[in-house]
Amino acid sequence: MRTVRDAAFDVLRRQGMTTLFGNPGSTEVPLLTGLPDDLRFVLALHEGSVVGAATGWALARGEPALALLHTTAGLGNAVGALATARENRAPLVALVGQQDRRHLVQEPFLTGRLAGLAGDYPVRRETPPRAQDVPGALARAAHAARLERGPALVLVPMDDWAAPAEELPLPAPDRLRPALAADPEAVRDVADLLADATAPALVVGAGCDAPDTWGALTALVERLRCPVWQEAFGARAGFPQHHPSFAGHLPSDRSLLREVLAPYDLVLSVGAPVLRQYAYRPGPLAPPGTRLALVTDDPAEAVRAPVEYAALAPLPQFCAALAAQVPQRAPHSAPDAADRAGARAAPGDAWKPDGDGALEAAEVLAALAARIPADAVVLEETPSSRPELHALLPARRPSGFLSAAMGGLGFALPAAVGVRMGAPARPVVAVAGDGSALYQVQALWTAAHYGVGVLVVVLANGRYAVLDQLAGQHGGGGGAWPAFPEVSLAGLATALGCPARRVTGRAALLRELDEALPKLAERTAPLLLEVEVSQAR
């Protein structure tokens, strides 16, 4: 007898979701016992790591990844990571186990009240009304994850897998191809805005992080001869950051933002929100005389944008068409704009080879920058050192920089594992603070067990440095939280089976990086370097 489980596996094969990330409980055992040889199960030791690794896999491949979650406890543990997947626009299908359908009405032990547990973060959620509807629900979830680039949930009672499947017409398309043409009228509108501008600038964001979009944007920028800024708190790089037209990262403070945008009479955001803020400051986003426009493929981003014109379009096709329409123009100079934003620095500027005392975080990043391969993927989770990382480690390839768009911690380590598994030819480096690394340190076990050759560089200062900095900005005095210098990330990594070393001083750092980085693409085992850095950062 062909079962619902058999039919569901066929859907997973057709949708390319043959790697299953999970941390199973009893409600998933009927699905996973005797898994077919062509389906691969990857165990993570916490649901945040499950979804984090699946998110990395999806971002690396541009296709939906599958995460298995265990009823209320599993989905509840994963909600923060699902929120990050949504904000990072990662296509993800989360299959959530539920108690046996036949006695759900009595609310037996492990019954989950699951429908609203993840809030508004899923792009779709479905509880199939019958067991026979489960395969179709999985196909619909995969399509929704692709089209809306976020997590789609399917909630499945555990007895459904053994139910007989029905041979019915396909409940969802096997393949769904979205429209990929750019509206010629919208292209003309934006071209007219650019033609009217004397000093335009572009702001790019995570929506542009793909090879074809980078190529089209580069062609457009080289005709416009204008500066390109990265959105503030961008989770992905929207443009090659070593390009001569790259100006830097926008500040998230509104008054500084107006200062940076003052030289421009038109700011066109492409694949980025207009304009991302952090702490509230009064006043307009842009200075008087600066017009704002947006091109995006995200309807939600379009409808909330405070702009005079917004176009909803597939970005590579729109940018290519726009580049073909705009005339070649002379370059516009915006004096000192990049300097004011702290846009770039040479690695040598931060490195003090003859300095005394503990390493500064910037010195560690400079040493890494001088050795890292151009095609490496850098995953960032070091809030207090992020400006230095941006300045010293520009993204030189699509997907060269990844971070958590939600701002929550626990992304970098599991996502690094998923990225390397999804794109095994690319070197992968996660840079995390010690406080950040603790959130999903369990991901190191998955890396070690499955032979995932990621390098994890932990900037260890034994405290929450960014919170200490924020406390200083709010009237001075220390925060209520203590430091934690006794925590050993290298010790935790070793306990999880991951090779690790504590690094103190410049000579030891250079020795470890010179050993690890030239062979990073070939590594088949993870390595964690816990680098002692100054308490000042």
Side-chain angles (χ1 to χ4, degrees), residues 290-339:
T290 299
R291 305 167 74 187
L292 300 177
L294 170 68
V295 179
T296 181
D297 60 0
D298 183 347
E301 199 167 76
V303 298
R304 66 173 180 261
V307 296
E308 65 175 86
Y309 186 89
L312 195 61
L315 296 179
Q317 291 80 4
F318 191 98
C319 292
L322 190 58
Q325 286 202 23
V326 298
Q328 184 77 45
R329 62 193 298 161
H332 169 70
S333 175
D336 301 325
D339 292 340

Side-chain angles (χ1 to χ4, degrees), residues 437-486:
L438 288 168
Y439 276 76
Q440 286 300 328
V441 70
Q442 301 96 328
L444 296 173
W445 179 89
T446 302
H449 181 81
Y450 293 99
V452 182
V454 297
L455 174 64
V456 178
V457 178
V458 176
L459 303 178
N461 54 23
R463 63 196 185 97
Y464 293 131
V466 72
L467 292 180
D468 294 342
Q469 293 169 10
L470 291 171
Q473 297 169 16
H474 286 77
W481 48 90
F484 42 88
E486 59 274 84

Side-chain angles (χ1 to χ4, degrees), residues 233 251-259 275-286 306 469-475:
F233 293 109
S252 62
D253 179 278
R254 197 170 296 201
S255 58
L256 293 177
L257 181 63
R258 290 194 295 269
E259 183 182 348
L275 291 154
R276 191 187 298 272
Q277 300 286 287
Y278 176 39
Y280 174 75
R281 299 287 186 271
L285 288 171
Q469 293 169 10
L470 291 171
Q473 297 169 16
H474 286 77

Side-chain angles (χ1 to χ4, degrees), residues 110-330:
L110 293 182
T111 299
R113 300 181 182 179
L114 304 173
L117 188 56
D120 293 331
Y121 290 110
V123 298
R124 178 183 176 86
R125 64 177 66 81
E126 182 173 351
T127 302
R130 304 178 306 150
Q132 289 73 21
D133 297 319
V134 168
L138 289 171
R140 290 186 288 275
H143 293 319
R146 280 192 187 91
L147 291 173
E148 300 184 55
R149 286 192 282 176
L153 269 57
V154 182
L155 316 175
V156 182
M158 61 190 294
D159 60 311
D160 282 7
W161 303 114
E166 288 183 350
E167 298 298 334
L168 295 173
L170 287 174
D174 256 357
R175 294 188 299 163
L176 194 160
R177 183 172 176 82
L180 294 177
D183 177 10
E185 186 173 347
V187 174
R188 283 194 300 271
D189 289 343
V190 176
D192 289 343
L193 285 171
L194 289 166
D196 291 341
T198 302
L202 298 187
V203 173
V204 296
C208 301
D209 190 21
D212 49 0
T213 314
W214 272 38
L217 267 174
T218 300
L220 173 62
V221 167
E222 290 176 354
R223 292 192 66 79
L224 293 174
R225 307 286 292 273
C226 70
V228 181
W229 292 88
Q230 173 75 27
E231 62 170 323
F233 293 109
R236 303 171 70 175
F239 186 77
Q241 294 176 351
H242 62 308
H243 191 281
S245 292
F246 183 68
H249 296 256
L250 286 180
S252 62
D253 179 278
R254 197 170 296 201
S255 58
L256 293 177
L257 181 63
R258 290 194 295 269
E259 183 182 348
V260 168
L261 298 183
Y264 313 119
D265 58 352
L266 173 70
V267 174
L268 174 65
S269 288
V270 183
V274 184
L275 291 154
R276 191 187 298 272
Q277 300 286 287
Y278 176 39
Y280 174 75
R281 299 287 186 271
L285 288 171
T290 299
R291 305 167 74 187
L292 300 177
L294 170 68
V295 179
T296 181
D297 60 0
D298 183 347
E301 199 167 76
V303 298
R304 66 173 180 261
V307 296
E308 65 175 86
Y309 186 89
L312 195 61
L315 296 179
Q317 291 80 4
F318 191 98
C319 292
L322 190 58
Q325 286 202 23
V326 298
Q328 184 77 45
R329 62 193 298 161

